[in-house]
């Protein structure tokens, strides 16, 4: 009998939680599955719960929430035989989309019941783990501001982007990708493990969490009207074929700049001293995940 632990982010709301728990019990019957449901109580709790699940021999830990809580839970599963599964209830749902996890709960539960697993790569930025992407450019600035926004979602994110654009000047970076050094001024400097930013925006359309490499996406400084085609081509998944982005791949990337001030991992801002160096690296096949058919 498979032991499955569901960890739910309480931001989902009480009524929604009750309905969700009912659906879980309906799809994962006691005859085939030993199901336990718990909730996040504080920042970092997901990592603690996941580590306890590994020690208890749990087969699958299901992260119910957005990319931030998924990242937190995954930190406790890296290097273990316990698989991560996802029920996407966040706003962007970047990793779930990259893994082709259905956005509808019943379909996501069907995948969990099937139990098809595969080892995926995990990225690190200054040893902060990321599953989808990390960055030090404009996206990192917005992530820093976004954490103080009361109303989440695409509209709130877009307001921050448009409101911050004119004040942002793309820093000049020294970039070392597996020993090859270059200097580049960039508006966006994003290192991708998966192909999704969330909301179906794809800066690295060909990136894969299974290929053992990181994708470096550099968008040079652009005028305000350049945001429209960047967004358009990102949604279409063809930005890598345009002049708006420079694309590289590597396993070990170092970026330095006296203007470095922000870092985001999976959309969440993390502390960074101004002028600090950031090292990105890949840990191949480090995390078991429940996947859809590819």
């Amino acid at each position: 009998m498979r032991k499955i632990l569901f960890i739910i982010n309480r931001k989902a709301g009480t009524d929604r939680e009750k309905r969700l728990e009912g659906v879980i019990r309906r799809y994962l019957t006691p005859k085939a599955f030993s199901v336990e449901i718990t909730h996040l109580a504080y920042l970092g709790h997901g990592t603690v719960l996941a580590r306890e699940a590994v020690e208890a021999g749990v087969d699958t830990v299901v992260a119910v929430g957005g990319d931030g809580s998924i990242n937190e839970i995954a930190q406790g599963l890296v290097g273990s035989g316990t698989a991560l599964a996802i029920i996407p209830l966040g706003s962007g749902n970047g990793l779930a989309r990259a893994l082709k996890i259905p956005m509808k709960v019943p379909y996501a539960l069907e995948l969990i019941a099937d139990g098809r697993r595969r080892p995926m790569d995990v990225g690190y930025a200054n040893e902060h783990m990321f599953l989808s992407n990390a960055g030090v450019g404009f996206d990192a600035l917005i992530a820093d501001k976004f954490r103080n926004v009361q109303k989440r979602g695409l509209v709130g994110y877009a307001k921050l982007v448009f409101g911050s654009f004119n004040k942002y000047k793309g820093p000049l970076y020294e970039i070392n990708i597996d020993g090859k050094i270059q200097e580049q001024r960039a508006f966006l400097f994003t290192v991708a493990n998966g192909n999704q930013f969330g909301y179906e925006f794809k800066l690295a359309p060909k990136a894969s969490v299974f290929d053992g490499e990181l994708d470096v996406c550099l968008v040079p400084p652009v005028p305000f009207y350049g945001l429209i085609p960047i967004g358009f081509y990102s949604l279409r998944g063809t930005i890598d074929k345009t002049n708006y982005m420079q694309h590289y791949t590597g396993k070990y990337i170092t970026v330095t700049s006296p203007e470095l001030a922000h870092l985001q991992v999976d959309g969440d801002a993390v502390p960074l001293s101004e002028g600090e160096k950031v090292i990105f690296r890949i840990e191949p096949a480090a995390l078991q995940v429940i996947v859809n058919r590819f």
Side-chain angles (χ1 to χ4, degrees):
M1 182 179 289
R2 276 177 67 199
K3 295 173 68 174
I4 301 179
L5 172 66
F6 285 78
I7 303 177
I8 300 175
N9 187 340
R10 284 197 178 276
K11 289 182 180 179
T14 305
D15 291 338
R16 191 179 186 183
E17 281 179 25
K18 290 179 180 177
R19 292 197 303 271
L20 178 62
E21 291 183 16
V23 175
I24 290 170
R25 304 289 185 188
R26 193 160 63 246
Y27 274 81
L28 303 176
T29 60
K31 290 183 179 179
F33 304 96
S34 172
V35 174
E36 184 181 345
I37 299 172
T38 188
H39 304 86
L40 295 179
Y42 54 86
L43 188 64
H45 193 203
T47 305
V48 174
L49 290 171
R51 286 175 179 156
E52 290 175 350
V54 171
E55 292 174 2
V58 171
D59 177 87
T60 304
V61 172
V62 185
V64 184
D67 287 331
S69 52
I70 291 167
N71 180 301
E72 183 179 303
I73 291 164
Q75 289 179 46
L77 302 177
V78 170
S80 78
T82 300
L84 169 74
I86 299 169
I87 292 182
L89 290 184
S91 48
N93 298 312
L95 182 62
R97 294 179 193 275
L99 292 172
K100 302 188 186 302
I101 305 297
M103 295 295 111
K104 293 185 177 180
V105 172
Y107 297 143
L109 284 169
E110 286 179 359
L111 286 190
I112 294 166
D114 286 345
R116 184 178 292 104
R117 56 166 66 195
R118 188 176 177 185
M120 68 168 275
D121 307 330
V122 169
Y124 290 90
N126 281 5
E127 296 311 302
H128 296 281
M129 191 189 82
F130 63 94
L131 302 175
S132 295
N133 64 78
V136 294
F138 187 67
D139 56 323
L141 169 66
I142 296 302
D144 186 57
K145 292 188 174 186
F146 195 55
R147 61 181 174 175
N148 298 316
V149 172
Q150 295 294 327
K151 192 173 181 180
R152 294 282 178 132
L154 186 56
V155 173
Y157 194 86
K159 284 181 178 179
L160 277 180
V161 168
F162 291 123
S164 305
F165 181 87
N166 288 331
K167 299 175 185 176
Y168 186 80
K169 306 299 179 186
L172 179 65
Y173 301 106
E174 181 180 282
I175 307 157
N176 185 325
I177 303 175
D178 292 342
K180 296 180 180 179
I181 300 173
Q182 62 173 299
E183 283 195 345
Q184 173 72 52
R185 189 172 293 278
F187 167 69
L188 283 179
F189 186 114
T190 303
V191 177
N193 185 34
N195 67 357
Q196 280 273 352
F197 240 83
Y199 304 106
E200 291 296 348
F201 283 90
K202 304 179 186 73
L203 265 190
K206 293 185 175 63
S208 169
V209 295
F210 306 113
D211 64 3
E213 289 193 316
L214 293 170
D215 290 59
V216 183
C217 307
L218 298 178
V219 175
V222 292
F224 186 76
Y225 58 80
L227 291 178
I228 296 174
I230 288 173
F232 174 75
Y233 289 120
S234 293
L235 282 171
R236 289 193 65 186
T238 57
I239 193 169
D240 56 328
K241 298 176 182 177
T242 72
N243 292 328
Y244 288 100
M245 193 188 78
Q246 298 171 19
H247 176 259
Y248 309 91
T249 59
K251 299 178 186 298
Y252 194 87
I253 300 106
T254 303
V255 56
T256 56
S257 171
E259 301 171 76
L260 268 179
H262 302 283
L263 171 65
Q264 66 85 9
V265 293
D266 284 342
D268 285 342
V270 298
L272 181 67
S273 301
E274 194 164 346
E276 186 180 341
K277 175 168 65 175
V278 178
I279 298 172
F280 302 89
R281 67 178 182 86
I282 189 81
E283 195 73 38
L287 176 67
Q288 296 285 329
V289 289
I290 300 297
V291 297
N292 208 331
R293 292 180 178 87
F294 279 81

